[in-house]
Amino acid sequence: MQPIVKRLRFSKKTRYQIINIKTKTQIPTYAAICRWGICYSLAQGTIPSPVPQVFDSNLEITWEAFVGDTGAAIPAALVQFCHQHNLPLDSESLKRQFELHLARGIAYLVGLKLSGIEELIGLALVDRFTKAESEAKSFLSPTANRAATEVTETSTPRLEMARKPRPLSRSRCKLESEKTQPKSDSIKLVWQVPEKVTTGKRKKQSGKK
């Protein structure tokens, strides 16, 4: 694939943002930061605002240095983005979209206030998981989608729901209830008078009368 631009150019604001990202993440080259920026912008799925681009800084990066070992992956992603959003695919339109995505992506990365490259990698992994999950759900019917959501929610590892208690059998329930039921130390006495004695008393009382 032909290069979209021969050299990447930047405004003074974008150049300052790239230096800021480089300082925070310790990414060694400006070209790598630009690759992160444009990929992050393309992942948003929205068209950048057509703001005028002013290239008034002395920072420039060759196309070969920008692409690195990614080959045609980034240009192909840009073409796919333009195709999905019904944008023109001629060279001038692709160049315009490339410059807009590059500036927007770098601005987004600065807005995240990253403290290290670990956060940047973690962000990429989260975006990949979320996108894969949404694409998988789009192929399911509403019923299957709802079932998949329920399975995902119930299978999410949580500390408070990691292990649920097993149902108790009847015998075990009885034992547990006996263990938990408070035992009383008092003794209940039941007095029962034999019937013969009662009958004899009644006869004597009637004889006296």
Side-chain angles (χ1 to χ4, degrees):
M1 181 177 289
Q2 295 293 329
I4 297 177
V5 295
K6 293 183 179 180
R7 303 181 71 86
L8 281 66
R9 297 178 299 167
F10 309 89
S11 64
K12 290 182 179 179
K13 180 180 179 180
T14 304
R15 176 182 176 275
Y16 173 78
Q17 291 172 341
I18 293 174
I19 295 174
N20 189 346
I21 297 171
K22 187 176 185 295
T23 304
K24 296 291 183 62
T25 62
Q26 299 299 314
I27 295 176
T29 63
Y30 293 156
I33 295 174
C34 292
R35 288 195 293 269
W36 276 99
I38 193 167
C39 289
Y40 189 76
S41 179
L42 290 172
Q44 303 308 310
T46 57
I47 301 174
S49 301
V51 294
Q53 297 295 308
V54 179
F55 307 117
D56 54 356
S57 72
N58 57 358
L59 176 62
E60 291 186 357
I61 300 175
T62 63
W63 177 259
E64 291 75 14
F66 166 73
V67 174
D69 56 356
T70 61
I74 294 177
L78 179 64
V79 172
Q80 180 66 20
F81 180 92
C82 294
H83 175 72
Q84 290 177 349
H85 292 81
N86 298 321
L87 298 173
L89 299 178
D90 58 277
S91 59
E92 288 298 325
S93 298
L94 291 176
K95 178 182 177 182
R96 175 66 173 164
Q97 289 300 315
F98 177 83
E99 293 170 349
L100 292 175
H101 276 289
L102 181 60
R104 184 179 75 167
I106 293 172
Y108 279 176
L109 293 182
V110 171
L112 294 175
K113 298 181 180 179
L114 303 170
S115 60
I117 194 172
E118 295 81 6
E119 295 182 4
L120 192 60
I121 296 174
L123 180 67
L125 294 177
V126 170
D127 288 346
R128 180 180 298 179
F129 174 78
T130 305
K131 184 177 180 180
E133 184 180 10
S134 61
E135 289 179 353
K137 287 183 179 181
S138 64
F139 291 100
L140 299 176
S141 61
T143 304
N145 192 2
R146 184 167 57 254
T149 303
E150 293 176 357
V151 171
T152 304
E153 291 178 353
T154 55
S155 61
T156 302
R158 296 180 181 177
L159 294 178
E160 66 274 14
M161 299 178 62
R163 293 183 180 178
K164 294 184 179 180
R166 297 176 61 185
L168 300 176
S169 60
R170 291 184 178 180
S171 59
R172 190 174 178 185
C173 287
K174 185 176 181 181
L175 292 175
E176 293 293 334
S177 61
E178 292 178 356
K179 290 180 181 179
T180 56
Q181 186 176 4
K183 295 182 179 180
S184 176
D185 296 334
S186 61
I187 300 175
K188 185 177 181 181
L189 299 178
V190 179
W191 295 91
Q192 185 175 2
V193 181
E195 293 181 359
K196 292 182 180 182
V197 177
T198 305
T199 305
K201 289 182 178 181
R202 287 179 179 177
K203 287 182 180 182
K204 289 181 181 181
Q205 291 175 359
S206 60
K208 290 180 180 182
K209 291 179 180 180

